[in-house]
Amino acid sequence: MSEEVPAAQESLLRKMYEVFSTDERDAFVPYCLAPDVDWPNVADGVRLHGHAEVRAYWAAQFETMHPLVRLDGLRLDEDGSRVVATVRPGLRDDSGDHWAEEPVEHVYRFGADGLVSRMDVRPLS
């Protein structure tokens, strides 16, 4: 029998996805991401470190488009050390919301402080 995602981690991730596409996003960063968070910049294939770099990345995304991410489910990975979020990325434009055909996985590690310390993106496994 697989373990369930710890309640605190599930609550934090659900709130993160809820506020990502809103103006609350920047204010929520210190409550969800560790100060030295390791975050992917998928478009450029590099890693970002810390709140300032993640905020700048998100701000640049929202300047050129309105990204959306719909959370479809959460589970623990095979060894129980990471939380895997199955998500469907999308974009909002003048004609409405457009969702990717294929979901992806966001894989989260948490630090001792309970905040996200690292996030990776991978194809659905």
Side-chain angles (χ1 to χ4, degrees), residues 13-116:
L13 291 174
R14 288 191 182 282
K15 182 67 175 175
M16 270 180 51
Y17 285 104
E18 180 183 313
V19 303
F20 175 72
S21 295
T22 73
D23 291 336
E24 294 178 54
R25 170 182 61 258
D26 286 344
F28 194 63
V29 165
Y31 301 102
C32 62
L33 304 181
D36 60 347
V37 66
D38 183 340
W39 196 265
N41 173 332
V42 177
D44 296 333
V46 298
R47 303 293 304 181
L48 307 171
H49 298 93
H51 291 175
E53 288 186 12
V54 172
R55 281 186 171 127
Y57 172 59
W58 287 347
Q61 285 184 310
F62 279 88
E63 283 178 12
T64 60
M65 63 185 138
H66 189 104
L68 301 169
V69 183
R70 184 178 70 212
L71 177 61
D72 289 340
L74 294 170
R75 64 178 171 77
L76 289 180
D77 71 347
E78 298 75 26
D79 68 4
S81 67
R82 299 171 295 175
V83 177
V84 179
T86 303
V87 301
R88 190 165 305 264
L91 294 172
R92 179 173 294 146
D93 65 18
D94 293 339
S95 66
D97 294 352
H98 309 279
W99 298 100
E101 289 185 28
E102 294 297 321
V104 296
E105 293 181 336
H106 290 172
V107 183
Y108 294 94
R109 289 191 183 276
F110 290 82
D113 58 5
L115 301 177
V116 172

